[in-house]
Amino acid sequence: MARLFKTFFISAIAFAHVQACTSTAPKAAPDIPEFTSTLEAARLEDGAVGFATALIDDGELIYAKGFGETELGGGAPITPNHIFHWASVSKPLVATAIMQLSERGQLSLDANLVEILPDYRITDPRQRDITIRQILLHTSGIPDVEDYNWDKPEYDEEALMRWALTDSPRDLLFDPGTERKYSNVGYEILGAVIERISGMSFEEYMSANIFEPLGMKSASFIYPDTEKALRTVGHAGARGEKHRIEHYPYNRRHGPSSTLNTSVMSFAPFAQALLAGGSLGETHVLNAETLADMWAPRWMIDEENAESGAMGWVVENRPGRARMVRHFGWDDGFRSALLLFPDTKQAVLFVTNDEDANLRAYLFPALDMLKERASGEN
């Protein structure tokens, strides 16, 4: 009963905040015919089933369009409002939620995991040393998921906590804080942390504190809640050999690491808010100082390409190029990318219902156009 009351109370506050704010829902973006022709030619050459993309320049949504079809051989034409599975692009949202709790004084990033989740099953004494910051940075030593069981999804509200506390793989790969190894399990545990601190389910917290305030109407971590008419079907296979993925990648226990469902239009306000320093209009997501802390490079991944791990993101600082803060996603039937350029307030959002699509064929033209706009050539 206490959790139910707390959930209702926090949700009511969030709803009142949304009602008081000016609308942040993105307006329809104008077409850029030449760019559209370039992307469609790339899709035909690549043989991708479909995709949607959106561009932000100087903090404004300047382009949003869909290409191809929702399902091979008879699906509806994709629009920028169609909903896709974004896979690991879920993680920047989880990191943002953790930073919100830290900003509000409800969570210390240097707290030990077992302080927050004392019922976390210990199988290695080193697990007592794992901190929230290490999980955000993928330096905790927690192993990765071995089988997502997408074809055997769990839907109940306890699925995430059950997985995080007892069922997930946990034999540490190294001493916490000494190496970096990407871990989806770590982010699923962060989802359990959000649940424990907020008293809400992970999905309720994300909706009340990010999606609703920003007007992200189609965004949900619960696939059955998405609008059926706007769903897309995942595909795989080489050009000319595309086939439908029979299962949609959804399992509630993996929500925080992988199950963001949304459209590029609905996702755009999140990118705009971060590019604006953490707020969009009157809607506050993070303080600018908290955002800078989240994006601070803390662990070198690839010295040659100047890639560093940040909390929930990867940062690229290459000579002669604008700083990029980004995350990619790749899952059964889908691929995605969220690329932010904080110094020029630019972004690329891209998602496809074809896991074998060549992302470079679509991202490079987008990056070239944004670079031209930043230099004043357009």
Side-chain angles (χ1 to χ4, degrees):
M1 180 62 73
R3 172 171 172 168
L4 181 61
F5 174 77
K6 187 174 182 181
T7 298
F8 174 78
F9 180 71
I10 296 175
S11 296
I13 291 175
F15 180 75
H17 175 69
V18 174
Q19 293 296 94
C21 291
T22 56
S23 173
T24 56
K27 298 178 181 178
D31 189 15
I32 304 176
E34 189 172 321
F35 182 59
T36 294
S37 297
T38 298
L39 293 186
E40 180 58 19
R43 188 185 73 83
L44 294 175
E45 174 69 23
D46 184 34
V49 176
F51 65 88
T53 190
L55 302 181
I56 295 169
D57 183 39
D58 196 24
E60 297 295 326
L61 184 67
I62 62 164
Y63 184 86
K65 195 168 183 65
F67 296 79
E69 52 190 344
T70 58
E71 183 175 0
L72 187 64
I78 289 176
T79 74
N81 293 308
H82 273 95
I83 296 168
F84 294 76
H85 169 89
W86 285 73
S88 285
V89 177
S90 304
K91 293 180 180 69
L93 290 153
V94 174
T96 299
I98 290 290
M99 300 305 286
Q100 286 180 336
L101 295 173
S102 173
E103 186 175 280
R104 297 166 187 168
Q106 296 176 267
L107 172 67
S108 168
L109 298 183
D110 295 312
N112 293 112
L113 174 65
V114 293
E115 295 174 24
I116 301 161
L117 298 177
D119 38 355
Y120 178 77
R121 183 168 63 87
I122 297 292
T123 59
D124 183 326
R126 296 176 295 173
Q127 290 166 334
R128 299 186 184 279
D129 299 326
I130 295 172
T131 68
I132 301 303
R133 189 186 303 276
Q134 289 168 348
I135 301 175
L136 284 166
L137 289 168
H138 297 289
T139 62
S140 67
I142 295 172
D144 206 354
V145 177
E146 297 175 359
D147 186 351
Y148 288 90
N149 284 334
W150 293 136
D151 57 339
K152 303 172 185 175
E154 298 174 29
Y155 296 97
D156 65 285
E157 190 169 314
E158 299 304 318
L160 175 59
M161 193 64 76
R162 184 170 60 246
W163 168 254
L165 295 180
T166 61
D167 294 344
S168 60
R170 62 196 58 239
D171 292 337
L172 295 189
L173 303 176
F174 47 81
D175 291 344
T178 62
E179 298 182 40
R180 184 183 188 274
K181 185 72 173 178
Y182 191 85
S183 175
N184 286 283
V185 174
Y187 272 73
E188 289 148 11
I189 291 171
L190 290 178
V193 167
I194 292 168
E195 288 198 352
R196 184 61 57 85
I197 291 176
S198 70
M200 309 168 74
S201 73
F202 164 73
E203 298 92 348
E204 288 170 337
Y205 180 91
M206 301 305 288
S207 180
N209 290 272
I210 297 179
F211 298 158
E212 291 176 12
L214 287 172
M216 297 170 64
K217 293 183 178 180
S218 77
S220 177
F221 277 94
I222 301 180
Y223 175 65
D225 288 350
T226 61
E227 188 174 343
K228 291 182 179 179
L230 293 176
R231 293 175 182 174
T232 55
V233 175
H235 300 79
R239 178 185 173 88
E241 300 176 358
K242 301 294 181 185
H243 61 272
R244 170 180 173 156
I245 300 295
E246 292 305 318
H247 59 268
Y248 191 89
Y250 177 72
N251 191 332
R252 196 163 183 181
R253 74 184 193 181
H254 300 302
S257 74
S258 308
T259 74
L260 172 66
N261 293 276
T262 192
S263 67
V264 293
M265 285 291 283
S266 194
F267 204 1
F270 176 73
Q272 289 176 293
L274 298 191
L275 291 173
S279 297
L280 183 60
E282 297 177 21
T283 301
H284 172 78
V285 178
L286 288 175
N287 290 334
E289 297 80 8
T290 307
L291 181 61
D293 188 33
M294 180 172 69
W295 283 347
R298 297 178 187 275
W299 193 276
M300 181 62 71
I301 300 172
D302 186 333
E303 188 170 353
E304 182 178 347
N305 287 324
E307 297 180 1
S308 300
M311 290 189 282
W313 302 79
V314 171
V315 180
E316 293 188 21
N317 278 306
R318 304 189 188 189
R321 299 188 183 184
R323 176 175 56 124
M324 180 195 297
V325 183
R326 49 89 168 167
H327 210 294
F328 292 104
W330 193 348
D331 221 329
D332 292 4
F334 296 88
R335 295 189 74 177
S336 58
L338 175 61
L339 315 178
L340 305 184
F341 299 87
D343 302 326
T344 56
K345 293 183 170 54
Q346 295 177 317
V348 179
L349 297 87
F350 177 89
V351 64
T352 173
N353 60 342
D354 186 337
E355 68 173 87
D356 290 302
N358 177 11
L359 261 64
R360 293 187 176 191
Y362 314 107
L363 294 181
F364 281 10
L367 295 175
D368 288 343
M369 189 174 75
L370 290 181
K371 184 177 180 180
E372 289 176 4
R373 295 179 72 97
S375 65
E377 294 178 26
N378 270 4

